[in-house]
Amino acid sequence: MILTKELKKVYRTDEIETTALAGVNVDIKAGEFVSIMGPSGCGKSTLLNILGLLDNPSTGEYHFIGNEVSKFSERQRAGMRKGNIGFVFQSFNLIDELTVFENVELPLLYIGVGSKEREEKVHAALDRVGMMHRRKHFPQQLSGGQQQRVAIARAVVASPKLILADEPTGNLDSAHGQEVMKLLTELNEGGTTIIMVTHSPADAEYSHRVIHLFDGHVVSENFMRERYAMN
């Protein structure tokens, strides 16, 4: 599903040049659950932004579901994201003025799904995360764990091939964090590919494989599930 070759990202100002990624090579198959770990400033979020087609690399190749996308325009990236990629963020990124239902409905509006089908898909997504009973509430009326479950429903409502999760339990207590990780595991077991940036070794244990970054380089990879390593 994902293949990068010598992926580099350099940020330049008038006075300084900062290398965020320095030749990253990753190969992620459809159906994997992969964690990306490393210290702050090592390039994790930069890599996730590029994999999520929110940004382009400075140089190198990025192949996503059979397309070389490293030089795509913003319009082309947006078109490729639609229906293919769902995002889960540490800060939830729900819209306060919209109800739970309306927040989850947004991705379907962007891709032109009809109203009856939208309603069915939103209800199914909310059922999946146990939030159907809160569909008329607003985000500020929910706990952090509930908000993240709504954010996951929004990420999966269009049945994307890939979910990118950036510190999905970072703002949650341990109990709600475990709920979120179990939800992500269930989605992965249903066939969705998941790439997660995390600082948490406990969260990384839910994944098949961990990619460790340091100073913009992949320095190691290790399998977390013995059954997966044997496949």
Side-chain angles (χ1 to χ4, degrees):
M1 171 178 275
I2 284 174
L3 178 67
T4 72
K5 297 180 180 180
E6 293 298 316
L7 210 62
K8 296 182 180 180
K9 183 65 178 181
V10 179
Y11 296 100
R12 294 181 176 88
T13 67
D14 291 339
E15 299 179 353
I16 194 168
E17 178 177 289
T18 303
T19 299
L21 298 176
V24 169
N25 299 295
V26 296
D27 185 357
I28 297 171
K29 301 292 190 292
E32 278 198 89
F33 187 159
V34 175
S35 292
I36 301 173
M37 300 188 74
S40 296
C42 71
K44 301 186 301 297
S45 293
T46 299
L47 179 58
L48 205 69
N49 285 341
I50 291 173
L51 297 183
L53 298 170
L54 299 174
D55 197 4
N56 280 341
S58 301
T59 60
E61 297 179 17
Y62 174 26
H63 299 262
F64 177 60
I65 54 175
N67 300 276
E68 211 294 304
V69 298
S70 63
K71 295 180 175 59
F72 270 24
S73 66
E74 170 53 33
R75 183 185 293 256
Q76 289 173 308
R77 294 200 307 270
M80 183 65 76
R81 286 196 302 268
K82 287 180 181 178
N84 286 318
I85 303 175
F87 295 90
V88 180
F89 302 97
Q90 177 178 347
S91 55
F92 319 135
N93 284 16
L94 300 176
I95 298 174
D96 288 340
E97 294 76 20
L98 299 182
T99 65
V100 163
F101 181 98
E102 291 165 339
N103 267 282
V104 176
E105 183 184 33
L106 274 178
L108 301 177
L109 289 169
Y110 292 147
I111 60 177
V113 176
S115 59
K116 186 174 186 302
E117 187 179 356
R118 284 202 311 273
E119 182 176 8
E120 291 172 353
K121 285 181 176 293
V122 172
H123 285 178
L126 288 173
D127 267 336
R128 198 171 187 178
V129 301
M131 289 298 293
M132 185 64 176
H133 65 297
R134 296 283 193 172
R135 64 190 180 279
K136 295 182 180 180
H137 287 69
F138 291 90
Q140 58 267 38
Q141 296 174 302
L142 307 177
S143 69
Q146 289 172 329
Q147 289 187 59
Q148 193 60 294
R149 280 194 271 163
V150 173
I152 290 172
R154 181 185 58 191
V156 303
V157 71
S159 301
K161 298 176 177 67
L162 172 67
I163 289 179
L164 299 177
D166 192 357
E167 297 283 358
T169 68
N171 284 335
L172 304 178
D173 60 37
S174 59
H176 287 120
Q178 287 180 9
E179 286 181 12
V180 165
M181 291 311 305
K182 288 176 181 176
L183 271 173
L184 291 175
T185 300
E186 289 171 9
L187 292 169
N188 175 247
E189 290 173 347
T192 305
T193 306
I194 296 177
I195 303 175
M196 175 180 69
V197 162
T198 182
H199 281 102
S200 167
D203 287 356
E205 288 184 2
Y206 286 87
S207 59
H208 300 137
R209 179 163 57 110
V210 179
I211 296 171
H212 295 272
L213 291 184
F214 187 77
D215 286 349
H217 298 272
V218 174
V219 292
S220 66
E221 295 187 40
N222 59 285
F223 289 98
M224 302 300 288
R225 300 188 197 176
E226 186 176 340
R227 64 169 179 80
Y228 188 83
M230 293 173 63
N231 287 344

